[in-house]
Amino acid sequence: MQNKNAIIEVCVDSIDSSLIAQSAGAYRVELCNNLSEGGTTPSFAQIEIARKLLTIQLYILIRPRGGDFLYNDIEFETIKSDIHLCGKIGCNGVVIGMLNEDGAIDYNRCRELVRVAHNYSMGVTFHRAFDRSADLFQSLEDIIDLGCERILTSGGRNTAVEGISIIKHLVEKADGRIHIMPGSGIAPENVSGLMKETKAREVHGTFRSLYHSHMKYKNTDLKNIEEEYSIWLADAQKIKQTIQIINKITV
């Protein structure tokens, strides 16, 4: 039987990319800013406009800064406030993650974040802070107990392909209690083997390409001219190709 229930989530850092992902057939987008830093929370305006324009599921990354996932009290209050805003706007879910100094899941504060999200009937994804935790399998149990619906993970490795065996074991250990969603380095060229091997039913990627600016004038005296006059956007063809591939996987 062909796999018609596999889900593709596209990680985007602009409203334009959100709309491209939607038009290409993505099931869900995760909206963030600053992908070069691993992603941070987008602006209120971006969230609000994206919610108005998108008919597919919209999840928002809640991360106040780049760097580690050990947050102080002010950062924690900022995270909570952002979740409240997402709920009031009508987002489908949020993407969170907090750790303690010892690499364990910050259970008590994450539980409070999940409670806030659930009060607005939003789902919760635990992001790749999971991959920085000291014990992935203990963290899996903690996150299940928190009430999250999925974990985004590369298996504790730089890419999902590198962590494929660990992702497979996580899927087996989860045993349907939570979705294990591979992410990092996902592309049409590797998605079939990854999903077949791990038995994951959801997959996450940026599926981006570099597009040149339409600016006619360019100040060639400045450094990094090609970088500044180019923009990364979701690539509809890559998304469509990935969807076609995962729909042909036999289960």
Side-chain angles (χ1 to χ4, degrees):
M1 181 176 66
Q2 288 185 338
N3 186 358
K4 296 296 186 182
N5 297 313
I7 287 174
I8 180 172
E9 174 182 280
V10 181
C11 180
V12 298
D13 62 355
S14 69
I15 296 170
D16 284 343
S17 284
S18 298
L19 295 172
I20 291 169
Q22 176 170 269
S23 67
Y27 180 84
R28 180 194 311 122
V29 295
E30 179 197 357
L31 179 62
C32 65
N33 266 348
N34 300 316
L35 275 173
S36 61
E37 293 188 52
T40 56
T41 306
S43 72
F44 177 82
Q46 285 177 301
I47 299 170
E48 187 176 40
I49 294 171
R51 180 66 289 172
K52 288 178 180 178
L53 297 178
L54 293 175
T55 57
I56 62 174
Q57 287 199 0
L58 172 63
Y59 275 55
I60 306 299
L61 176 63
I62 308 298
R63 187 184 180 206
R65 56 165 172 78
D68 63 30
F69 301 98
L70 179 67
Y71 297 119
N72 61 37
D73 290 342
I74 293 174
E75 289 170 328
F76 178 59
E77 291 304 316
T78 301
I79 289 169
K80 278 200 296 184
S81 181
D82 280 332
I83 294 174
H84 279 292
L85 288 172
C86 289
K88 292 172 183 177
I89 290 173
C91 296
N92 299 101
V94 291
V95 183
I96 68 163
M98 298 179 66
L99 301 178
N100 292 322
E101 289 181 347
D102 62 359
I105 301 299
D106 187 343
Y107 186 89
N108 289 333
R109 294 204 291 179
C110 283
R111 180 173 59 184
E112 188 171 349
L113 300 181
V114 172
R115 179 188 59 77
V116 173
H118 284 177
N119 282 343
Y120 293 98
S121 299
M122 291 192 294
V124 181
T125 298
F126 199 97
H127 58 50
R128 290 185 62 212
F130 173 81
D131 290 322
R132 277 75 175 174
S133 65
D135 185 332
L136 296 185
F137 291 92
Q138 179 58 54
S139 294
L140 169 67
E141 298 302 326
D142 290 341
I143 293 168
I144 290 171
D145 195 57
L146 284 171
C148 297
E149 59 185 345
R150 72 180 54 78
I151 297 172
L152 171 62
T153 179
S154 59
R157 299 295 186 266
N158 288 321
T159 68
V161 171
E162 292 176 60
I164 190 168
S165 63
I166 299 171
I167 296 172
K168 179 180 179 180
H169 290 315
L170 287 167
V171 172
E172 292 170 350
K173 191 72 173 176
D175 194 26
R177 293 176 295 161
I178 194 170
H179 293 292
I180 303 297
M181 182 169 63
S184 184
I186 304 295
E189 295 76 22
N190 60 33
V191 69
S192 179
L194 183 71
M195 296 190 78
K196 285 179 180 178
E197 178 68 18
T198 64
K199 301 297 190 292
R201 302 301 298 273
E202 302 190 7
V203 67
H204 167 105
T206 58
F207 307 103
R208 298 192 298 170
S209 289
L210 189 63
Y211 296 86
H212 294 297
S213 169
H214 294 298
M215 286 290 297
K216 293 181 179 179
Y217 170 75
K218 298 179 181 179
N219 185 348
T220 56
D221 292 326
L222 296 175
K223 296 180 179 179
N224 303 321
I225 184 169
E226 288 303 317
E227 179 180 333
E228 291 194 6
Y229 288 102
S230 301
I231 184 170
W232 287 96
L233 290 171
D235 187 321
Q237 287 306 116
K238 289 181 180 180
I239 297 169
K240 290 177 181 178
Q241 185 180 359
T242 302
I243 291 171
Q244 290 173 354
I245 291 169
I246 64 178
N247 281 342
K248 291 178 181 178
I249 297 173
T250 56
V251 294

